Every structure is written in C-alpha cells, then in structure tokens.
Amino acid sequence: MFITSNRVLLLERKHAMRILSIETSCDETAIAIADFTRAPTGARVNVSSHIVSSQTRIHAAFGGVVPNLARREHQQNLVPTLMSALTQAQMLAPQAPARHQAVSVILEREQYLLSLVKKHLLAIDPPPIDAIAATYGPGLAPALWVGVNFARALAELWQKPLIPVNHMAGHFFSALLQKDKKQEASFSIPSVPFPVLGLLVSGGHTELVLVKKPWHFSIIGTTLDDAVGEAYDKIGRLMGLSYPGGPALSHLAAQGDARKYHLPSPMLNTKDYHFSFSGLKTAAFYLIRGLPPATFEAERKADIAASFEKAALDVLVKKTLRAAKEYKAKTVLIGGGVSANRVLRKRLGDTLAHELPACRFLAPDPALAGDNALMIATAAYMTGMKKARNISDVRADANVVLG
Ligand code: KG4
Ligand code: ZN
C-alpha cells in the first residue's frame, strides 16, 4: 500500500497534528500519543499517553544491553504497550475484524509480534491520529527493526502516514519541551533564536550539533571512541554499582571529593570539538585496581566517582562553551540520557550564564532525558511532515548520522 502524495500534502498544511510515536532503539519500549498545535510563539503539546516500558532489569544481569534479548522483549512489549497507550488516551474502540494479509507480510520476521497484532489489533478501530512516527536509527539494529516493522504494520492496518525519526533528533527536541506548570501533561515548545548548539550525550553518542536554521543539523564534534554514558556505565560496573552505572555513579560522586584524585579529561585542550573517553576510563580502571579492595570500598569509592565525574564533565562543559562562542550560538541545549545529570545541567547552565549571558540554555525535563517516545513525536512534528513516506521505503538504519 502506498501513501498518496495528496495525503502527505494535506499533512503538511495542518496546524494541528495528533501523532502516535514508537521508540525501540535500545532497551526501552516506548509509545506516546500527543497533540501538537501551532501557537504564535512556537507550539503547544498535549500528551494523552506516554508509556516507557523498560527492560533494564533483564539486561542488568548481563551488565549491558543484549541486542537479541532487546528484540525479543520489544516483540513481547509493543502490543501491550500500545493497548495501554490507546486505553490511556481513551482511543480504544472495538470494530469488525480487519483484513491482515499485508500486515502478515510486513511482520513475517516477527512472528510472535504478528500473533499479538492479530489477537489484539485487528478487532479495534483505527485510532483518531494523523500520523505514526517511529525511530529508525541510530541504535541496535535488531531492536530498531522490530519498532520500524511494527510501525509499518500499523500504518498499513490503519492507513496512516509514517514518519521515520532519527533518535538523536528526538533527544535534541526533548530540550524544547517546556512543561506547563499549571496543566498536567501539557508542554509548550518555544521558538528559539538561532544558531542553536546542542550537546547530545547518551549511552551511544556524544556529539555537538550546530543548527543554523530550522532544522539543518550539522555535527561539529563527536566522540572518537566511547560515548560519555558508556564510560559512566563501564566504570559504574567496575565499581560494583547497579546497572546502568550513570545515575548510580553520579549519585555516589555527590558524596565524594573530586580533589582527592586527579583523573585526565582527554582532549580537553584540542582545538577541535571532538571527544574521547576511553583514556579516562582506563585511568579510572588502573586507579581502582591499584587500591586494596577493602580500602577502595570503605574510603575511596565516592572520591574516585567524584574525580571521574569532574574529569568527564570538565571536557563537555569546556568544549560546549568554546563552540557556543565560536559559532555565536544564541541557544544552547542538552539532550540524551546523560543530560539528566544534575551536575552537568548546573555547571553548563552557570558557565553559560556567566560567560554568555545573552545565550538561552535549555535542558529537558529530567523525566524526558532518557529514551522515550514523546521526544520522537516532537521531532516528527518539528521536522518530519515533509518526510512522511511510503511505508515500504521506511527501513531501520543502525548507524544513521544526524544531518
Ligand atoms: O539516551 P539514553 O537513555 O539511551 C541511549 O540512547 O543510549 O542514555 C542512557 C545513558 C546511560 O549510559 C546512562 O548511564 C546515562 O545515560 N545516564 C546518566 C545519568 N542518567 C542516565 N549518566 C550520568 N548521570 C546521570 N544522572
Ligand atoms: Zn537515547
């Protein structure tokens, strides 16, 4: 089935859009339904469902995400998560069973998911949504494919346009969602002055993204080895902290004294905007291994965590500030799982307020810093209308770069 160009044009002209979005790039199965309305200074967002079903407990036993386990879990979780999302949004209405031949072809590699689709989704009405958005990359290929094929099956079943979304664009736009203090589940999206500089920090990425005009992304710096979240996770694991290591390590760091140990901030003074965290990880590894285990546990753990955090954040803050100055950024934002880190938010916010007081600083609501589907719907609304595609063209791309 092909989405006609008429429908795509109609979609572009609409001022109000209801988007159902799907995120499965890593170990969260997430679905959101949100209404976006254009407002005089940006947009308004009303969220009718927002569900993140985490697989963390399953992967914790392995100390990291196992791609094929993630795939299996997404297959099991997608339909129940969708049913909960539709129930939450009061959009679940029974109808006469629909035909499913095309859906069976789309989901031929996801037989278990297909059985759940047949059991639960063929007998409900297509929900009143304008489009479906789904993360197509970057991420873990087996996990992405399940979400993409599920989105394709829904687009086919419900005859809706499908908008493929870059996961990192999702993290970028999450910073623009300003929570409404008076109204539950409502956000506003301000119109921000350009250029916008984004620091995107997650378990798989560390990148500085420059946006001179809406919405042309250009990556000016990236990590040459580990992502910063990955370094947090690996050192957290070495310290015996709970998985994922980032939040636990940061919590521990708050109780330590960073002056007790010096750990290196790799590439702190290089003239480019690239990052590297493997040297810091190795230095922390030898520091920990060099201490008698009892001493480490009893006295040094929090101090080493604090030194690690300081070394990692020093380089993020310094390079972001230098890029903001060089490119005359009028807005700086952060996004990605690591942007939940309170010290990073405060240090970058304070540094910018002091050095570039005219520059606006935005960070996501901490609940939206990690992987979720609302950020995918937001990115789809902000950038994706023209990208609504023939469903057969939409494919997962594990290594796609923002741009
Ligand atoms: O964006 P995200 O949820 O998933 C990916 O796209 O990778 O990011 C997850 C990463 C993990 O490495 C996790 O340890 C890290 O974000 N993280 C943190 C904090 N909260 C999550 N790192 C440092 N401090 C935190 N508070
Ligand atoms: Zn992410």
Side-chain angles (χ1 to χ4, degrees):
M1 139 78 205
F2 292 95
I3 304 301
T4 63
S5 54
N6 262 353
R7 186 179 299 163
V8 175
L9 286 175
L10 206 69
L11 195 65
E12 281 176 42
R13 274 195 225 110
K14 275 192 155 184
H15 283 215
M17 292 277 305
R18 180 175 291 162
I19 300 176
L20 182 149
S21 54
I22 299 166
E23 155 64 40
T24 64
S25 67
C26 192
D27 60 346
E28 327 278 1
T29 314
I31 294 190
I33 303 174
D35 284 281
F36 295 83
T37 327
R38 204 176 291 171
T41 55
R44 288 208 51 77
V45 188
N46 284 307
V47 182
S48 35
S49 33
H50 179 239
I51 301 179
V52 180
S53 162
S54 179
Q55 308 170 5
T56 301
R57 269 197 291 138
I58 290 153
H59 298 286
F62 301 89
V65 181
V66 183
N68 274 324
L69 265 185
R71 174 177 190 262
R72 189 193 74 187
E73 290 300 307
H74 288 311
Q75 282 211 51
Q76 282 174 6
N77 295 343
L78 272 166
V79 171
T81 307
L82 176 64
M83 297 300 273
S84 305
L86 292 173
T87 308
Q88 220 174 66
Q90 299 184 333
M91 289 177 195
L92 199 61
Q95 68 149 20
R99 287 174 56 234
H100 61 266
Q101 205 178 351
V103 170
S104 303
V105 173
I106 292 171
L107 293 177
E108 65 182 340
R109 293 202 189 159
E110 281 92 12
Q111 285 297 320
Y112 185 72
L113 178 57
L114 177 61
S115 69
L116 293 182
V117 167
K118 282 184 179 167
K119 187 164 168 205
H120 297 284
L121 300 186
L122 296 182
I124 61 167
D125 250 353
I129 55 171
D130 297 301
I132 296 166
T135 303
Y136 74 101
L140 303 171
L144 288 164
W145 270 113
V146 183
V148 165
N149 281 339
F150 184 57
R152 291 173 61 197
L154 292 183
E156 167 64 37
L157 189 63
W158 296 338
Q159 298 287 291
K160 303 287 179 191
L162 176 56
I163 305 170
V165 175
N166 183 303
H167 181 78
M168 300 313 288
H171 280 309
F172 180 95
F173 285 108
S174 69
L176 262 52
L177 286 166
Q178 308 288 300
K179 208 170 182 173
D180 198 325
K181 290 195 178 74
K182 292 191 196 120
Q183 216 177 325
E184 182 80 0
S186 288
F187 296 82
S188 60
I189 299 177
S191 52
V192 287
F194 291 84
V196 182
L197 178 70
L199 171 69
L200 304 182
V201 275
S202 69
H205 291 80
T206 303
E207 50 198 29
L208 273 169
V209 182
L210 184 67
V211 186
K212 287 189 178 157
K213 57 179 183 176
W215 291 103
H216 295 264
F217 296 96
S218 130
I219 296 181
I220 58 167
T222 184
T223 181
L224 304 180
D225 39 59
D226 291 352
V228 62
E230 193 180 352
Y232 265 96
D233 292 343
K234 286 180 179 163
I235 296 304
R237 190 176 174 197
L238 197 68
M239 287 186 165
L241 304 177
S242 59
Y243 171 84
L249 183 53
S250 184
H251 185 72
L252 187 62
Q255 298 150 38
D257 182 351
R259 290 166 305 184
K260 293 275 174 67
Y261 293 99
H262 174 75
L263 285 169
S265 293
M267 300 184 70
L268 184 66
N269 296 312
T270 56
K271 297 231 169 334
D272 54 30
Y273 294 109
H274 294 315
F275 302 95
S276 163
F277 292 98
S278 74
L280 167 59
K281 190 186 66 188
T282 309
F285 173 83
Y286 283 115
L287 176 60
I288 293 166
R289 282 292 146 99
L291 291 169
T295 314
F296 168 68
E297 278 300 329
E299 304 168 23
R300 310 278 190 244
K301 221 172 167 175
D303 294 339
I304 295 175
S307 301
F308 171 86
E309 178 151 84
K310 180 179 182 314
L313 301 190
D314 275 354
V315 66
L316 292 179
V317 172
K318 184 170 179 178
K319 288 210 162 172
T320 306
L321 175 67
R322 194 152 58 72
K325 283 183 175 169
E326 181 178 334
Y327 291 99
K328 300 189 176 21
K330 296 211 171 97
T331 306
V332 171
L333 60 80
I334 53 176
V338 184
S339 73
N341 186 294
R342 286 210 210 128
V343 187
L344 173 61
R345 296 160 91 95
K346 174 147 178 39
R347 279 194 51 193
L348 190 55
D350 289 353
T351 304
L352 289 166
H354 185 253
E355 301 264 340
L356 294 172
C359 182
R360 186 169 187 183
F361 176 59
L362 295 169
D365 184 300
L368 297 176
D371 293 349
N372 66 85
L374 181 57
M375 70 182 196
I376 301 305
T378 306
Y381 175 74
M382 298 297 281
T383 68
M385 296 305 116
K386 292 190 189 81
K387 289 191 195 149
R389 301 255 183 96
N390 292 338
I391 59 169
S392 49
D393 293 344
V394 180
R395 318 207 140 261
D397 184 348
N399 301 312
V400 64
V401 174
L402 192 57

